[in-house]
Amino acid sequence: MSTVELLAPLHPQMTAWRQDIHAHPELGFQESRTAGLVAAQLELFGIPVTRGVGRTGVVGTLRCGTSARSVGLRADMDALPIVELNGFAHRSTHAGVMHACGHDGHTAMLLGAARYLAETRRFDGTVHFIFQPAEEGLGGARAMIDDGLFERFPCDAIFGMHNRPKLDIGRFAVRSGPMMAGGGYFDVRVKGRGAHGARPESGIDAALVASQIAVSLQSIVARNVAPVDTAVLSVTRIHAGEAYNVIPDTAELGGTVRAFSRDVLRQLGEGIRRVAEGTAAAYGATVEVDVREIFAPTINHPEEAEFAARICSELVGADRVERNPPLIMASEDFSFMLEKVPGCYLNIGNGVADGGCEVHNPAYDFNDRALPLGAAFFARLVETRLAA
Ligand SMILES: [Zn+2]
Ligand SMILES: [Zn+2]
């Protein structure tokens, strides 16, 4: 029997977990119900559980045999501040909060794999099931790492996956090297001097300075980043002034940068500072600049990527495994774990029709048909990597 067929009996149970978590979404670091459900199920399977790793994170540790080898499998648990538009029975019951990124599915797949591995125990070594809080920009991966994740639960390698809408059910996408962009946020606060709208000569127009900075920032990617590198800088907010006849004394703008290497991200940060300070000085204004790293680039380790692709090929056939999918400009905080431990992050198809709409969309839903495939990936990975 194939691993997917072996996981099939758990499909109804995984669907029930997934829809229950979907109906009760929780924002980052508030996943107390979800973490409680995960911990209770792991204990039911006989897997020792550590709660409160990185605030609301949970780690289950399953040991079998005598080998010192270990592997970490990671799922994320948090939802987004979105008002759900779906009308199905398992829609969100928490106002303004929604599982619009499929983390409900990721959690259910990893729970399914944990139950299967705890029952069958056909491996020799240690598996850490890592259920991470607060992936959506709030720093959950870092919180777990800072809480000693890899010292307390050492992993030779780590693996995680994200569903991808518009990739067919039964397909996987695996890339070696850079896969998703790293990114940061920035704020620029301009200080000028207020004046009457009809007497600009007596002030320093903060709105004009902010406008010039917004335009000039676009020269950084166009003229400073090498054309063979990939980067984006978007100014996404500008605020200044209240009245028609008052030149504002302050203005604020902010936005996001994304790139696939830490060097390019550093270059973007330095560029923002240089352009903002230089432009402000040219107009007699001053600026405060704040650039913050939110995500590291997600860079897969070649050996682990090859290994993950091999497991996927064994599950669904090599022709259903995309080996060179396009780079993704969005970010993922599993990147911080990949900076500590070799591993691979991959995509699992969420389908084209049902559940086919993009993540972070109020009509999105994780596709339950993907559950046995994702669980089978984790299970087969363990049985192969930690072969008895
Ligand atoms: Zn997301
Ligand atoms: Zn996500």
Side-chain angles (χ1 to χ4, degrees):
M1 236 200 276
S2 75
T3 314
V4 178
E5 286 164 352
L6 289 170
L7 266 298
L10 295 183
H11 199 175
Q13 168 77 87
M14 285 191 278
T15 304
W17 287 326
R18 207 285 294 178
Q19 296 187 356
D20 180 49
I21 296 169
H22 189 94
H24 303 92
E26 295 169 304
L27 295 174
F29 293 126
Q30 297 172 28
E31 308 93 335
S32 53
R33 184 188 185 277
T34 311
L37 182 155
V38 165
Q41 289 299 321
L42 291 172
E43 280 171 346
L44 209 61
F45 313 153
I47 297 175
V49 171
T50 308
R51 292 173 167 80
V53 183
R55 294 163 67 179
T56 40
V58 175
V59 180
T61 299
L62 180 63
R63 288 199 169 82
C64 212
T66 53
S67 168
R69 294 172 301 177
S70 61
V71 66
L73 308 174
R74 175 273 206 177
D76 39 16
M77 302 188 290
D78 58 320
L80 285 157
I82 293 178
V83 177
E84 179 156 10
L85 289 184
N86 296 312
F88 45 59
H90 62 276
R91 68 183 174 273
S92 171
T93 56
H94 295 173
V97 186
M98 175 189 175
H99 268 294
C101 205
H103 300 184
D104 47 352
H106 305 163
T107 297
M109 291 191 289
L110 189 53
L111 271 181
R115 178 167 165 189
Y116 168 85
L117 289 165
E119 283 172 0
T120 53
R121 295 180 170 260
R122 283 197 288 265
F123 65 94
D124 184 14
T126 301
V127 188
H128 297 296
F129 301 96
I130 300 167
F131 292 88
Q132 185 206 300
E135 190 283 325
E136 297 285 1
L138 295 174
R142 266 189 175 156
M144 290 192 94
I145 293 167
D146 292 347
D147 207 359
L149 177 66
F150 293 122
E151 291 79 32
R152 295 160 70 192
F153 311 97
C155 301
D156 296 340
I158 48 165
F159 297 87
M161 72 173 101
H162 205 291
N163 74 92
R164 191 197 289 181
K166 302 204 165 67
L167 181 65
D168 286 338
I169 288 286
R171 295 188 93 92
F172 290 89
V174 187
R175 261 190 90 98
S176 182
M179 177 196 171
M180 297 177 76
Y185 299 150
F186 63 88
D187 284 297
V188 177
R189 277 172 283 276
V190 180
K191 181 93 184 81
R193 193 167 64 240
H196 192 293
R199 298 190 56 241
E201 75 280 10
S202 63
I204 296 171
D205 185 349
L208 177 66
V209 176
S211 305
Q212 293 288 4
I213 291 172
V215 172
S216 299
L217 287 177
Q218 291 306 321
S219 72
I220 298 170
V221 173
R223 302 289 83 182
N224 300 139
V225 174
V228 290
D229 287 326
T230 307
V232 62
L233 184 160
S234 294
V235 174
T236 54
R237 52 198 306 269
I238 303 181
H239 298 288
E242 301 291 341
Y244 287 102
N245 55 359
V246 178
I247 289 171
D249 62 340
T250 61
E252 292 182 4
L253 63 145
T256 186
V257 291
R258 307 285 165 122
F260 291 93
S261 81
R262 281 197 176 269
D263 279 348
V264 176
L265 285 172
R266 204 170 301 121
Q267 202 178 3
L268 294 169
E270 287 165 7
I272 290 167
R273 236 168 257 287
R274 187 183 67 245
V275 167
E277 287 169 1
T279 305
Y283 289 83
T286 57
V287 283
E288 281 172 30
V289 181
D290 182 26
V291 184
R292 303 179 295 286
E293 179 195 79
I294 307 294
F295 294 100
T298 302
I299 299 173
N300 285 329
H301 297 243
E303 269 179 43
E304 283 69 23
E306 281 312 311
F307 174 73
R310 195 186 108 203
I311 298 297
C312 293
S313 299
E314 290 170 5
L315 289 178
V316 297
D319 57 326
R320 292 197 179 85
V321 183
E322 288 185 22
R323 289 309 321 277
N324 198 19
L327 290 166
I328 300 170
M329 223 57 221
S331 303
E332 162 60 52
D333 84 349
F334 188 66
S335 56
F336 292 108
M337 295 190 182
L338 288 174
E339 288 188 329
K340 301 283 178 196
V341 176
C344 176
Y345 198 63
L346 61 149
N347 284 145
I348 178 169
N350 199 52
V352 176
D354 43 340
C357 95
E358 289 295 343
V359 294
H360 293 215
N361 181 300
Y364 169 86
D365 193 31
F366 183 87
N367 191 330
D368 289 319
R369 286 165 60 213
L371 292 167
L373 289 154
F377 169 79
F378 285 131
R380 192 176 183 91
L381 182 159
V382 169
E383 289 178 348
T384 307
R385 201 166 179 95
L386 307 181

